[in-house]
Amino acid sequence: MKLSRLRSRCVKMTEIKLNIKCLDSDDQMLSSDLKHSVKDVKLQIEREWESHPQPSDQRLVYAGKLLQDSSILEEVLRLTDARDENDAFTIHLVCR
């Protein structure tokens, strides 16, 4: 891929799709911003998820790693894995 296309793709990708997988319910697609923290995503899950799990009860796992609340999505997601801006990043949700 040409460097200019790669740069333009990275600049465009600020809003991303997250495919949230949970063992005891259906997957859910969320939209988020790369500048959001993991805590922001947990709050969004609490608002939009049917069972409204408290952020303190949520554990989010990406690429086999437990995500810390203070982490920024842009820093933890492997952006090079996205084929285009419509690709979703899969995050696993475990609730206590």
Side-chain angles (χ1 to χ4, degrees):
M1 180 181 288
K2 290 183 179 179
L3 185 58
S4 61
R5 276 187 65 197
L6 183 60
R7 280 187 188 144
S8 67
R9 190 173 95 183
C10 291
V11 170
K12 286 182 194 174
M13 191 186 292
T14 57
E15 186 166 306
I16 55 166
K17 294 177 184 173
L18 301 173
N19 180 28
I20 308 295
K21 290 185 167 279
C22 187
L23 291 176
D24 54 353
S25 66
D26 293 330
D27 297 355
Q28 189 164 332
M29 197 69 79
L30 300 177
S31 291
S32 188
D33 192 281
L34 280 173
K35 302 294 183 193
H36 285 173
S37 68
V38 171
K39 179 75 170 192
D40 294 331
V41 174
K42 287 182 176 184
L43 292 168
Q44 185 177 2
I45 290 170
E46 180 185 23
R47 282 190 309 272
E48 296 184 25
W49 213 264
E50 189 175 302
S51 61
H52 305 287
Q54 294 292 313
S56 60
D57 293 336
Q58 299 177 38
R59 302 294 179 265
L60 297 179
V61 179
Y62 175 73
K65 296 179 183 169
L66 181 65
L67 300 179
Q68 301 301 314
D69 286 351
S70 60
S71 298
I72 304 300
L73 293 177
E74 186 174 39
E75 297 167 0
V76 296
L77 298 177
R78 296 186 308 219
L79 300 177
T80 56
D81 287 353
R83 291 179 298 245
D84 60 35
E85 59 272 359
N86 295 318
D87 252 0
F89 295 90
T90 299
I91 293 180
H92 296 269
L93 169 65
V94 179
C95 293
R96 299 194 301 166

